[in-house]
Amino acid sequence: MNISHLGKIFTFLAASVIFTNEALSGTLVLATKGATEDNSVFLAYSVDKKADPNLRYVEAKDHDVEALREIYFDSDPKQAFLGTIPEAAHTFAYLDSEYGLINEKGLMAAVSEAYTQRNVKTKYSSYYKAIFCPKELIKVALERCVTALDAATLITRLIDEYGLYGKPVSVVFADRNEAYLVEMMPTPSGRGGFYAVRRVPDGEVFVTADQFRIQDLKKEDPDFIISSRVETTLREAGYTVLAPRGNINWLRSVKGVEKKPYYSMRRVWRVLSLVAPSQELPAWVSGYEDKTYPFSIRPDKPLALTDIMEIMRDTYTGTSFDNATKATGGLFASPYTYEDYGERSISTGKTTYTFIGQLNENLITPVIWVSLGASGESAFVPLTVDAVPDTFSGVSREEYDESKMWWISNNISHLTRGYYSALSDLVRMAILEQEQRSITLIKHSESLPLERFKNVIRNNVNVSYNRTRKLFERVLEVHDGGYMLKYAEGHLPNFTPVDHYHKPAPKAPAEKKTVQSKPLVTSGIPFMNAVSQKQEKNDEDLLREEFFRRFSKDMNEAEKNQSPKN
Amino acid sequence: MKLTPFVCAFISGQIMLSVSWACTTMVITPGASADGSMYITHSNDGYTGDTSVVYVPAADHKKGEMRLVYPSACAREAYPDFNCDYTPRLNVKGRGPDYSFEGVPITDPIGEIPQVEHTYAYLDSNYGIVNEHGLMLGECTDNSRRIRYLRPDAGTGLFYSSELGRVALERCTKAREAVELMGSLIDEYGLWGTAETLLVGDKEEAYVLEMMPNPSGKGGFWVAQKVPDGEFLIAANQFRIRLLDENNPDQIFSDHLIDDLRTIGWLVKDKKSGKVDWLKSIQTIEHLHPYYSLRRVWRAMDLVAPSKKFQPWVEGYDTTAYPFSVKPDRKLLLDDIMALHRDYYQDTEFDFARKETGGLFDFPYCFSSYNKERVISTTAISYIWINQFNDRMPAPVSWLALTSPADSVYVPLPVAPISELYSRVDRKNYNGDKFYWVVSAVGTLTRAYYSILSPLVKETSKALEKKSQELVAESLHLSKDEFNKVLLDNARDNFKEWQRLYHRLVLKMDYDNVKYAKRHRPANTAPTSYKQVN
């Protein structure tokens, strides 16, 4: 360790608390090859927090035999230097964001956070020996691995050897054939780490939403990779909770609670119910450790990319958990809430980005679909593992720049959320249309050589950006200052009518009605979010009636006035 | 029984209910303003309004030339038989480059009148604004129960207030001269459209001119009354002139007016004084519903003269509770006048923000309900101007705000070409180079999250308006041309500042900053335990 490294430790100590306190939060959905229409593997996740909205391309590199890979706090070379590990001879190119996303060989990674009630230190301390945070582990895996199994094996080995710090996290690695879930959290000592690894069976769909999903570590099941070292560490820490057959119950051992009741399990229920409605899974459970929801599920019918997009955009529409139908919906039945009010839906107003990685035998190179901001109002745009287009890089959250997709998407999203029932269908249609265009384009370009395929993708990014700009302009044109704007059905506010010249007699203030949601609405356009009870008559009807009433009265009077008495 | 034309018009007109019919217009006489300026204001309240502000240059004309008179969609509706639509409002020769469009049919005139040798330059919109010599206009549409509306057809008169006002701006420098000209034009050529109010002012005098078409198509009914110096007047879609008195030097009306009213059977006399009651004769009731007009009249008068303790509730449309004009308790600053037009009854029982209408973020407006309170700074406003002129200014100025002024900024405009930012605007086709679209982006976003964003908008407009006022004050010694140039540069700066404001608003919408308005926090339905709740 040299002097400059020491200096960095100093500066980082002050900053570390802020950094590690930042919650990740997001929903992770995996559809395995056998669960999809076109045998694609889809690995999707959203980062539902204030994150850096930039994407970065990290180039492939060759390294000297003796080379060391430096490890910094929070995987940030501007922060403290923590140590080194031997470098690989060659590292693969990959796309990076808040977390590493996907490498050129078709290894994808996705992340969701988790919570624990065990007294492990999630804040980094210099007394720790641990040098790895999940972010860095994912990068190392993308640099070095081709298969999901290799990646899961590598990072658990690194945890064993170098120690893990940071918040509890679930990571899924997927390649063209297989997917592995690694759930991990630090030990109280900072040596090694707790982790559990399980393969997601082919043909099934897996979801995790800020809570660990692995329950009993089944020794008899080859899908589990069980570490005797972790078993020992759990026992030594006094954490071990045994399941009936002598297996360890991982979730209860690490006390993998939810952030708050149903913060995670509602989303798990929703995703599993959307893909396998036949299972009629209940929305209510007994507690965080409830085993009602299976680890993974076989979908009722194979999923398409658009189904995954729809899932990632879900706000519990048509269920009693839809925030749009409650008072949180406001005047225009917005499904988004602020200050974390209401049910935690899959799509949120906090989302920085949502990714859907796609791999299959026909694609010449892996594709990752990226939606910036709230996915409900922002189209998924496909990218390849290649230099990131200008519209998706060089973004600052502190400086508005309309040449960036991030800001244009935000423009649309804020306006749409503000007048949801009036604007959301227009926006959603435009987005779906744009995505359909991208899907068709990829289908028609599958047989192209790699460079030409990448070119097609690059051009499509520009088209998507231009269309998104146009969409913002269109939203402003259509809104037109509120011309013909109507409140959402069921959200019509009470107001004191002025029908007469006399002052209305003071009334006892009416009990403020809470808008209650209707039972499940399963038919109709899936993205019609403003579903609530139908009001008796809408404004326009009232206005029209009033006008006809007045009109006929006027006519009578006009007749009286115009025909002199004879 | 001559009902057919207006029956048809009425039925076709009701589809466009939220069109026009809704303007607020004020006079602040020199003696009522802190700086001794005459101020004439007008807000153009209609969603379909063409938001372009157009400079019409001065022109010399040949002898025998005719001045063509065009229909105006802002009167009520588009007139396809005249190629007359809302946007662009005119496509004609002889009104400067910004009323000339390619790919749009040429507007056909209704008729013509003899032209004069020289016409003055003026700023124009749906209604004329101000001319280079400081003749200033304001306008509101009124609602007569006698006849609601006459289409510009064969047999109706030639003028609607819009073209009538423009002729005055082309030809006159003084308010009285303009009123007399318009009165004589009404007598000679007649009116179509609706009952109308024009406010006409120069730097010393201001008149209210109220007019009503004659269904015969010949002539029309009109009365003008001077606003006494030192007083404030507001008109809000209703006549304000009451008793006619030929001995009143402040009133102007033709000697045949009373006979004409009697002939048509409209004459109504005040029982007490025996004088003709102009408002009741024409029966200018309130548009849409009670207090559509009178609430605004009450509010403005109560704000400028709280000592008078005007009451918001009256006995009927023909109330005498609110005088023609009122002396303000203290002289009004330009800021006060701006605030009057920005008012939405805040801190009164009529404030939408504090009720359910406030939504989650203290929204101070109310959409699409027939019998709601009608605020002054409604969302329907296309633009609003405050014309200002006094002895010290080298040229008149029109402080113009696009859309609802509460969420916009007043920018002082000269009577000079302003096309790059203000003309050739189409509210159905985005164009980021036009001030309107920046204001639209700011306003649309702000109204969605009012309690979060409007403080920043108000703070910014206040700072910009202060700067503009200082600039005007510092530039009084300049020549007219130099003065106008300073104002144009300032308008460009304001445009850029408003763009920056939009960027700041979007930054402010970061999730962590968005908190529900205190009095509108919704019930939080997030589960607090695992127990099933429904």
Side-chain angles (χ1 to χ4, degrees):
Chain A
M1 193 181 284
N2 61 30
I3 303 283
S4 80
H5 287 150
L6 278 172
K8 277 178 180 173
I9 282 193
F10 240 77
T11 47
F12 119 86
L13 278 175
S16 64
V17 174
I18 306 161
F19 236 98
T20 48
N21 269 348
E22 184 113 34
L24 163 62
S25 187
T27 310
L28 186 161
V29 176
L30 166 77
T32 55
K33 187 167 134 175
T36 64
E37 265 181 13
D38 63 348
N39 291 326
S40 285
V41 178
F42 294 115
L43 179 55
Y45 80 108
S46 58
V47 176
D48 304 336
K49 68 155 184 175
K50 189 172 178 173
D52 175 359
N54 283 293
L55 299 186
R56 276 175 305 275
Y57 174 63
V58 180
E59 289 178 356
K61 268 182 221 127
D62 290 318
H63 306 275
D64 296 339
V65 185
E66 298 286 294
L68 293 173
R69 191 192 187 287
E70 295 181 341
I71 310 290
Y72 295 92
F73 176 73
D74 200 39
S75 187
D76 179 359
K78 284 187 224 108
Q79 307 259 5
F81 171 81
L82 302 182
T84 58
I85 61 167
E87 184 56 284
H90 178 81
T91 50
F92 302 128
Y94 66 98
L95 278 188
D96 191 22
S97 66
E98 184 72 16
Y99 292 88
L101 295 169
I102 187 166
N103 74 12
E104 57 182 321
K105 297 292 172 189
L107 175 70
M108 304 189 285
V111 188
S112 174
E113 84 166 331
Y115 292 86
T116 177
Q117 274 183 350
R118 293 296 185 196
N119 187 23
V120 293
K121 290 196 177 69
T122 53
K123 284 178 192 162
Y124 187 82
S125 138
S126 53
Y127 300 112
Y128 264 34
K129 297 287 173 261
I131 67 168
F132 271 107
C133 62
K135 206 184 261 192
E136 191 79 280
L137 288 169
I138 292 168
K139 283 185 185 170
V140 175
L142 292 173
E143 286 164 8
R144 300 181 182 193
C145 303
V146 177
T147 69
L149 179 59
D150 281 353
T153 312
L154 172 68
I155 68 163
T156 51
R157 218 192 62 219
L158 291 172
I159 292 172
D160 285 343
E161 195 167 333
Y162 296 99
L164 175 73
Y165 70 90
K167 291 205 156 192
V169 156
S170 307
V171 179
V172 170
F173 290 108
D175 58 44
R176 274 184 190 80
N177 301 305
E178 276 197 316
Y180 282 87
L181 163 69
V182 184
E183 295 181 340
M184 61 182 96
M185 71 178 215
T187 61
S189 68
R191 271 191 210 92
F194 297 121
Y195 54 82
V197 183
R198 185 173 177 181
R199 194 177 81 100
V200 181
D202 189 32
E204 305 228 327
V205 171
F206 168 81
V207 53
T208 177
D210 306 320
Q211 190 194 11
F212 286 154
R213 293 297 322 286
I214 296 175
Q215 293 262 4
D216 298 352
L217 301 175
K218 294 178 192 158
K219 290 202 167 116
E220 66 282 8
D221 186 340
D223 281 349
F224 288 86
I225 301 175
I226 296 168
S227 155
S228 53
R229 188 170 168 155
V230 170
E231 282 181 329
T232 312
T233 324
L234 279 174
R235 195 172 52 243
E236 281 170 6
Y239 288 178
T240 307
V241 176
L242 289 178
R245 265 182 245 166
N247 288 328
I248 290 172
N249 182 301
W250 160 255
L251 184 71
R252 290 170 64 193
S253 296
V254 296
K255 278 202 178 170
V257 294
E258 297 186 81
K259 184 178 180 183
K260 49 194 182 188
Y262 298 105
Y263 182 78
S264 302
M265 294 188 110
R266 189 76 80 224
R267 283 178 281 161
V268 170
W269 164 77
R270 179 61 166 169
V271 174
L272 297 179
S273 305
L274 282 172
V275 303
S278 65
Q279 301 300 306
E280 295 184 353
L281 292 167
W284 301 95
V285 294
S286 58
Y288 84 89
E289 71 283 40
D290 196 293
K291 290 182 172 176
T292 302
Y293 304 131
F295 176 69
S296 57
I297 205 162
R298 184 168 289 277
D300 285 359
K301 56 179 175 54
L303 301 177
L305 173 58
T306 47
D307 295 324
I308 307 289
M309 291 171 172
E310 207 59 53
I311 288 170
M312 297 312 285
R313 288 186 166 132
D314 190 78
T315 50
Y316 304 142
T317 307
T319 76
S320 57
F321 309 118
D322 183 355
N323 292 318
T325 62
K326 316 281 167 66
T328 38
L331 298 170
F332 301 100
S334 166
Y336 298 105
T337 67
Y338 298 93
E339 304 181 57
D340 296 325
Y341 266 50
E343 291 278 348
R344 200 312 190 174
S345 53
I346 299 173
S347 178
T348 74
K350 260 188 192 177
T351 306
T352 297
Y353 27 44
T354 309
F355 303 106
I356 305 176
Q358 181 183 15
L359 303 168
N360 66 40
E361 298 299 335
N362 298 328
L363 284 171
I364 190 164
T365 186
V367 166
I368 184 157
W369 299 75
V370 182
S371 156
L372 295 179
S375 57
E377 288 76 51
S378 167
F380 282 97
V381 178
L383 300 177
T384 56
V385 182
D386 195 5
V388 178
D390 288 347
T391 43
F392 280 83
S393 57
V395 185
S396 160
R397 282 187 83 126
E398 315 304 321
E399 202 177 320
Y400 182 91
D401 178 353
E402 60 188 12
S403 71
K404 305 300 175 193
M405 193 70 153
W406 165 256
W407 288 113
I408 304 298
S409 293
N410 265 280
N411 281 344
I412 295 172
S413 183
H414 294 320
L415 278 190
T416 311
R417 281 184 239 166
Y419 307 93
Y420 198 78
S421 51
L423 297 177
S424 65
D425 284 357
L426 164 83
V427 170
R428 193 63 66 88
M429 289 302 278
I431 283 169
L432 296 184
E433 199 186 316
Q434 191 180 312
E435 283 162 353
Q436 210 53 56
R437 189 188 180 280
S438 300
I439 290 170
T440 311
L441 195 68
I442 287 182
K443 198 165 275 171
H444 286 294
S445 312
E446 272 173 357
S447 56
L448 293 177
L450 182 62
E451 274 318 305
R452 282 189 57 199
F453 182 81
K454 284 184 172 177
N455 249 332
V456 167
I457 292 288
R458 267 194 290 272
N459 287 338
N460 184 54
V461 168
N462 290 336
V463 171
S464 300
Y465 166 77
N466 288 332
R467 287 173 72 120
T468 308
R469 278 199 75 139
K470 278 275 160 232
L471 177 59
F472 171 58
E473 296 169 5
R474 180 92 191 106
V475 169
L476 277 183
E477 288 164 3
V478 167
H479 183 272
D480 196 9
Y483 182 46
M484 304 293 253
L485 185 64
K486 285 203 258 173
Y487 298 117
E489 278 182 9
H491 294 259
L492 188 73
N494 283 322
F495 65 95
T496 317
V498 263
D499 285 328
H500 306 285
Y501 277 99
H502 59 78
K503 184 176 181 171
K507 273 186 295 190
E511 196 78 3
K512 199 167 177 179
K513 276 178 284 178
T514 323
V515 189
Q516 281 297 330
S517 64
K518 291 281 274 185
L520 285 177
V521 180
T522 46
S523 58
I525 310 170
F527 48 83
M528 276 285 282
N529 269 300
V531 183
S532 185
Q533 74 251 57
K534 173 110 181 130
Q535 68 211 47
E536 301 264 293
K537 272 174 194 162
N538 66 23
D539 302 341
E540 222 170 323
D541 293 337
L542 286 171
L543 199 57
R544 194 172 296 123
E545 271 175 31
E546 177 60 22
F547 240 80
F548 274 114
R549 195 175 61 73
R550 290 187 150 223
F551 175 59
S552 50
K553 197 175 134 208
D554 280 346
M555 292 312 299
N556 294 337
E557 286 193 22
E559 254 174 79
K560 261 186 261 160
N561 289 324
Q562 294 226 334
S563 0
K565 280 167 207 138
N566 21 339
Chain B
M1 284 294 295
K2 285 182 192 164
L3 290 170
T4 330
F6 80 88
V7 170
C8 301
F10 204 92
I11 289 168
S12 67
Q14 66 168 313
I15 301 159
M16 308 293 276
L17 279 178
S18 32
V19 178
S20 70
W21 280 103
C23 306
T24 312
T25 186
M26 305 179 193
V27 172
I28 296 88
T29 53
S33 72
D35 64 354
S37 294
M38 175 72 83
Y39 292 98
I40 307 276
T41 79
H42 161 81
S43 70
N44 197 260
D45 309 354
Y47 282 118
T48 51
D50 180 344
T51 62
S52 296
V53 180
V54 174
Y55 170 74
V56 179
D60 293 315
H61 306 277
K62 292 190 199 89
K63 237 191 173 135
E65 207 175 294
M66 299 301 280
R67 197 266 187 208
L68 302 180
V69 177
Y70 295 97
S72 310
C74 63
R76 183 79 192 226
E77 58 184 331
Y79 304 106
D81 35 342
F82 292 100
N83 290 330
C84 169
D85 209 338
Y86 291 99
T87 308
R89 67 177 78 96
L90 282 174
N91 181 25
V92 297
K93 285 205 176 85
R95 303 265 178 111
D98 289 323
Y99 276 140
S100 175
F101 296 86
E102 276 179 29
V104 180
I106 301 284
T107 319
D108 287 330
I110 308 178
E112 55 186 24
I113 61 171
Q115 183 57 290
V116 290
E117 271 180 30
H118 180 79
T119 49
Y120 304 131
Y122 63 100
L123 283 188
D124 193 30
S125 68
N126 292 323
Y127 301 89
I129 303 175
V130 56
N131 76 10
E132 57 183 319
H133 298 294
L135 182 72
M136 307 180 277
L137 298 183
E139 184 273 353
C140 69
T141 294
D142 308 307
N143 187 25
S144 164
R145 199 143 65 181
R146 301 294 190 192
I147 294 175
R148 287 248 164 121
Y149 166 64
L150 284 178
R151 255 187 73 96
D153 279 320
T156 59
L158 181 61
F159 278 105
Y160 172 68
S161 66
S162 182
E163 279 283 88
L164 190 65
R166 288 171 186 148
V167 174
L169 293 178
E170 286 164 9
R171 302 182 178 190
C172 306
T173 56
K174 291 284 161 215
R176 182 150 191 127
E177 177 198 357
V179 166
E180 282 166 356
L181 169 70
M182 288 191 277
S184 68
L185 288 172
I186 294 171
D187 286 341
E188 192 168 354
Y189 297 100
L191 293 167
W192 59 274
T194 55
E196 282 285 317
T197 299
L198 282 177
L199 303 186
V200 192
D202 55 41
K203 60 189 173 188
E204 281 132 14
E205 278 194 323
Y207 288 83
V208 178
L209 170 62
E210 296 176 345
M211 64 196 90
M212 172 70 186
N214 188 325
S216 73
K218 296 206 174 58
F221 307 93
W222 63 272
V223 176
Q225 183 167 333
K226 186 180 159 178
V227 183
D229 191 27
E231 303 234 329
F232 164 88
L233 172 131
I234 172 173
N237 306 119
Q238 196 186 14
F239 280 179
R240 300 304 323 286
I241 300 173
R242 297 301 298 256
L243 304 183
L244 301 186
D245 180 356
E246 50 254 60
N247 299 321
N248 181 349
D250 282 352
Q251 276 186 352
I252 312 171
F253 54 90
S254 65
D255 45 16
H256 51 81
L257 172 73
I258 292 171
D259 283 346
D260 291 349
L261 284 172
R262 190 176 293 118
T263 309
I264 200 168
W266 291 356
L267 193 75
V268 176
K269 284 187 172 173
D270 175 46
K271 279 182 192 127
K272 238 190 260 165
S273 65
K275 287 180 181 152
V276 175
D277 188 328
W278 165 246
L279 175 133
K280 284 174 87 166
S281 295
I282 306 297
Q283 287 195 10
T284 55
I285 55 165
E286 296 188 75
H287 176 55
L288 281 180
H289 61 79
Y291 298 108
Y292 187 81
S293 303
L294 286 168
R295 190 74 80 224
R296 283 177 279 162
V297 171
W298 160 74
R299 176 61 167 170
M301 287 202 169
D302 188 47
L303 282 172
V304 304
S307 65
K308 296 279 194 301
K309 297 199 163 36
F310 292 115
Q311 292 304 305
W313 300 97
V314 296
E315 64 287 0
Y317 86 92
D318 51 355
T319 180
T320 51
Y322 311 125
F324 175 72
S325 58
V326 70
K327 187 176 176 343
D329 284 2
R330 58 172 179 80
K331 293 191 175 190
L332 300 176
L333 298 163
L334 177 54
D335 286 338
D336 298 326
I337 302 166
M338 290 174 174
L340 284 174
H341 272 286
R342 283 184 162 132
D343 191 80
Y344 37 76
Y345 306 154
Q346 49 269 50
D347 308 321
T348 74
E349 62 189 290
F350 311 114
D351 183 356
F352 285 121
R354 61 161 79 162
K355 304 180 184 171
E356 268 187 39
T357 37
L360 298 169
F361 301 103
D362 279 353
F363 185 64
Y365 306 104
C366 183
F367 283 114
S368 59
S369 298
Y370 146 72
N371 50 356
K372 62 178 199 220
E373 293 288 346
R374 201 289 199 189
V375 298
I376 296 177
S377 182
T378 152
T379 50
I381 293 177
S382 296
Y383 51 83
I384 177 245
W385 69 67
I386 300 173
N387 291 326
Q388 178 190 12
F389 198 32
N390 63 37
D391 277 334
R392 303 179 306 284
M393 294 168 77
V397 160
S398 187
W399 296 80
L400 193 120
L402 292 159
T403 79
S404 318
D407 320 317
S408 178
V409 58
Y410 290 96
V411 179
L413 298 183
V415 183
I418 48 168
S419 42
E420 70 182 88
L421 291 177
Y422 286 94
S423 311
R424 312 185 86 85
V425 181
D426 178 355
R427 64 191 299 157
K428 291 290 172 198
N429 282 293
Y430 183 90
N431 177 355
D433 297 335
K434 300 296 178 189
F435 213 134
Y436 170 79
W437 284 105
V438 182
V439 172
S440 169
V442 166
T444 308
L445 187 61
T446 303
R447 288 189 281 273
Y449 308 94
Y450 213 76
S451 50
I452 315 280
L453 300 182
S454 88
L456 182 55
V457 174
K458 288 183 170 134
E459 184 187 299
T460 309
S461 59
K462 205 174 161 186
L464 288 174
E465 285 154 9
K466 183 164 180 275
K467 228 175 115 195
S468 293
Q469 289 187 50
E470 286 165 1
L471 191 71
V472 169
E474 287 161 12
S475 309
L476 295 175
H477 64 281
L478 298 176
S479 73
K480 188 170 167 175
D481 287 347
E482 288 168 336
F483 181 71
N484 289 353
K485 189 185 171 298
V486 165
L487 294 186
L488 274 180
D489 289 342
N490 180 58
R492 284 186 201 105
D493 290 346
N494 272 262
F495 172 70
K496 288 199 189 99
E497 285 300 328
W498 217 246
Q499 279 179 321
R500 272 193 278 275
L501 170 64
Y502 178 73
H503 303 168
R504 281 156 66 210
L505 293 175
V506 177
L507 286 171
K508 195 156 185 153
M509 280 309 297
D510 199 288
Y511 186 88
D512 299 339
N513 295 332
V514 184
K515 311 275 183 226
Y516 296 115
K518 266 191 197 124
R519 54 191 170 189
H520 292 294
R521 301 187 79 78
N524 189 350
T525 53
T528 49
S529 81
Y530 282 95
K531 213 172 144 238
Q532 179 164 351
V533 290
N534 60 350

